């Protein structure tokens, strides 16, 4: 056995440069694209900087990840696809007038992503995108993307309050769950995609930071209480970049309400009976059991105070991520971040969280990756040495004050 860890980042981001999406658009949209691109103003400083090409420069990306000890990655979107006002992850649902063109833009991104992943066979799992406003079209794109080799699965858009979309617990989306379950594709729900618009007041960004993960957590209880996992037992849900320390407490809360409402449904003469009516038949097992059977967490830059909860979360459920190339990610200090977060964790548990679990969920071939990791991965001795002080210029929250119980 190699003395190095095989590290797979379950949370990275990529996308094409704006004009490079055009060849991936259906030709009937090319004129519209030219007009749109000619007047579009990119709102993101990091996509205008010299480092922006980390999103699409395959060779640079591979070299930087290897230098950081990472041999494979799950890729979520980052840049702006055609006809979107901003990055698709956080863009509001389209209007009826924008819907067709937005769909064309996402299909273009998915085609580009398939080529980007094919450039490094076996080392990238691309997460493809859909819109929820047309379920039949979404299922077609799921099947097309899977056939194109995008094994990272589906990125589930949010249904924020005011979106006009059916809630995620609705059976409207059953064809989507069925297709993903049939094809063995995980459904990924990334933080940031489910928050409602908050306006432009000075406090808006602070409120967004406080609330965004909670709005993303909602997908868990919507699908659980909606019975999606009972109707589709092979469905897998991955909650990414939402933290992980919240999971034990939330599962306890959900189990409490499950038990309380199921019990109330058997007592027709109580005021609570109406809240539990049909719940047991609809959803089945308690939420904690559903978590054990069907759910995972993309625990990006897992923080020191979360690590002691790993047994309650499930060591086999946790997938570490670097969040490359974002400023809050661990690059170029991934080794330091791992030493800071995981001192004293047994090697087999750390190996599972750093790569083994992601390989299982996303279908990476460890026989391909292990020899690469034997050259570039962090060593067991290196990660066993606790980090006593973070790098002075590190920007990841994993090193932030308040991210740990330690006192500097």
């Amino acid at each position: 056995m190699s003395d190095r860890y095989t590290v797979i980042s379950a949370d990275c981001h990529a996308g094409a440069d704006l004009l490079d999406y055009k060849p991936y658009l259906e030709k009937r949209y090319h004129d519209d694209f030219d007009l749109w691109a000619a007047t579009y103003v990119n709102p993101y400083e990091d996509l205008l900087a010299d480092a922006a090409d980390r999103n699409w420069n395959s060779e640079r990306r591979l070299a930087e990840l290897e230098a950081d000890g990472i041999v494979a990655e799950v890729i979520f979107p980052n840049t702006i696809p055609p006809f979107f006002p901003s990055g698709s992850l956080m863009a509001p649902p389209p209007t009826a007038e924008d819907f067709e063109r937005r769909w064309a833009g996402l299909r273009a991104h998915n085609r580009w992503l398939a080529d980007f992943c094919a450039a490094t066979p076996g080392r990238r799992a691309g997460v493809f995108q859909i819109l929820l406003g047309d379920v039949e079209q979404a299922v077609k794109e799921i099947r097309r993307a899977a056939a194109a080799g995008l094994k990272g699965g589906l990125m589930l858009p949010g249904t924020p309050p005011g979106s006009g979309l059916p809630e995620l617990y609705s059976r409207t989306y059953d064809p989507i769950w069925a297709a993903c379950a049939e094809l063995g594709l995980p459904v990924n729900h990334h933080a940031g995609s489910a928050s409602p618009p908050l306006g432009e007041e000075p406090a808006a960004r602070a409120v967004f930071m406080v609330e965004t993960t909670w709005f993303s957590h909602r997908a868990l209880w919507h699908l659980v209480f909606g019975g999606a996992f009972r109707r589709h037992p092979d469905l897998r849900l991955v909650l990414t970049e939402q933290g992980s320390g919240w999971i034990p407490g939330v599962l306890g809360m959900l189990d409490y309400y499950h038990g309380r409402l199921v019990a109330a449904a058997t007592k027709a003469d109580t005021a609570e009976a109406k809240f539990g009516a049909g719940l047991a038949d609809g959803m089945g097992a308690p939420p904690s059991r559903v978590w054990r059977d069907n759910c995972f967490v993309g625990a990006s830059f897992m923080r020191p105070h979360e690590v002691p909860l790993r047994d309650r979360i499930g060591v086999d459920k946790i997938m570490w991520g670097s969040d490359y190339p974002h400023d809050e990610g661990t690059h170029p200090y991934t080794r330091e971040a791992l030493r800071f977060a995981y001192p004293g964790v047994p090697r087999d548990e750390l190996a599972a969280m750093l790569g083994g679990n992601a390989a299982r969920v996303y279908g990476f071939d460890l026989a391909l990756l292990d020899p690469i990791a034997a050259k570039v991965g962090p060593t067991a001795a290196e990660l066993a040495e606790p980090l006593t002080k973070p790098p002075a210029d590190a920007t990841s929250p994993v090193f932030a004050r308040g991210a740990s119980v330690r006192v500097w």
Side-chain angles (χ1 to χ4, degrees):
M1 181 175 68
S2 171
D3 69 341
R4 296 179 183 263
Y5 288 98
T6 298
V7 181
I8 299 170
S9 173
D11 180 27
C12 288
H13 295 264
D17 198 2
L18 191 70
L19 298 180
D20 290 342
Y21 276 122
K22 183 175 178 178
Y24 293 95
L25 271 172
E26 292 99 323
K27 288 186 178 180
R28 68 181 183 272
Y29 295 104
H30 282 194
D31 288 344
D32 282 352
F33 176 81
D34 290 341
L35 291 172
W36 172 78
T39 59
Y40 187 80
V41 178
N42 195 318
Y44 300 119
E45 292 182 5
D46 62 320
L47 294 182
L48 299 172
D50 292 340
D53 74 329
R54 289 172 175 165
N55 286 283
W56 57 79
N57 185 328
S58 183
E59 291 183 0
R60 175 179 182 173
R61 187 181 186 97
L62 198 64
E64 290 191 353
L65 287 174
E66 285 190 0
D68 223 18
I70 298 168
V71 298
E73 57 176 330
V74 178
I75 300 179
F76 289 86
N78 198 45
T79 62
I80 300 163
F83 310 119
F84 272 72
S86 61
S88 55
L89 186 67
M90 298 176 64
T95 63
E97 293 76 18
D98 291 335
F99 187 82
E100 182 182 343
R101 295 200 314 171
R102 292 269 195 99
W103 245 123
L106 290 189
R107 290 195 298 269
H109 172 82
N110 293 343
R111 295 187 188 104
W112 174 87
L113 184 59
D115 281 354
F116 190 69
C117 291
T120 56
R123 301 186 67 178
R124 292 173 180 156
V127 178
F128 57 84
Q129 301 181 78
I130 63 165
L131 292 174
L132 293 176
D134 186 330
V135 170
E136 182 178 354
Q137 193 172 166
V139 171
K140 289 180 181 178
E141 183 61 14
I142 289 168
R143 295 191 179 280
R144 192 208 64 78
L150 291 176
K151 62 183 182 179
L154 166 71
M155 193 184 87
L156 179 64
T159 57
S163 68
L165 292 166
E167 297 285 2
L168 288 178
Y169 58 70
S170 171
R171 293 198 180 200
T172 300
Y173 304 121
D174 264 10
I176 293 175
W177 315 144
C180 289
E182 174 196 339
L183 296 169
L185 297 170
V187 171
N188 306 275
H189 196 53
H190 193 286
S193 64
S195 298
L198 294 171
E200 302 299 328
E201 293 296 320
R205 290 193 178 188
V207 173
F208 172 83
M209 292 296 291
V210 171
E211 295 182 347
T212 185
T213 53
W214 182 86
F215 276 107
S216 298
H217 299 343
R218 293 175 77 225
L220 173 62
W221 51 83
H222 275 239
L223 268 65
V224 168
F225 283 108
F229 299 106
R230 178 169 185 172
R231 296 189 299 278
H232 311 284
D234 293 328
L235 181 66
R236 293 174 296 162
L237 175 67
V238 181
L239 301 173
T240 298
E241 201 174 334
Q242 304 176 29
S244 60
W246 59 275
I247 292 170
V250 166
L251 290 178
M253 177 193 70
L254 297 180
D255 277 354
Y256 164 75
Y257 279 111
H258 171 267
R260 175 179 168 183
L261 296 176
V262 168
T266 65
K267 302 173 183 177
D269 58 342
T270 67
E272 279 201 334
K274 64 180 180 180
F275 291 102
L279 182 64
D281 290 339
M283 67 164 289
S288 58
R289 174 61 183 272
V290 175
W291 175 265
R292 290 196 299 272
D293 291 345
N294 300 91
C295 303
F296 300 85
V297 58
S300 308
F301 43 79
M302 198 172 186
R303 299 166 179 82
H305 70 276
E306 296 173 299
V307 176
L309 298 172
R310 65 190 183 277
D311 289 331
R312 295 176 61 194
I313 298 166
V315 171
D316 61 334
K317 299 294 180 182
I318 297 169
M319 299 181 292
W320 175 89
S322 73
D323 200 29
Y324 176 94
H326 289 166
D327 287 344
E328 64 267 28
T330 58
H331 177 267
Y333 296 117
T334 287
R335 288 178 170 83
E336 289 82 356
L338 298 179
R339 289 174 54 203
F340 183 71
Y342 294 110
V345 174
R347 183 173 176 180
D348 59 336
E349 295 184 13
L350 190 51
M353 294 186 288
L354 295 187
N357 296 334
R360 179 164 45 90
V361 172
Y362 292 105
F364 288 103
D365 183 359
L366 290 177
L368 169 71
L369 298 179
D370 286 347
I372 304 171
K375 300 177 182 177
V376 304
T379 67
E382 180 182 10
L383 297 195
E385 182 67 26
L387 186 72
T388 58
K389 187 175 183 179
D393 59 342
T395 55
S396 176
V398 72
F399 299 119
R401 292 180 182 273
S404 169
V405 295
R406 300 177 190 182
V407 177
W408 297 110

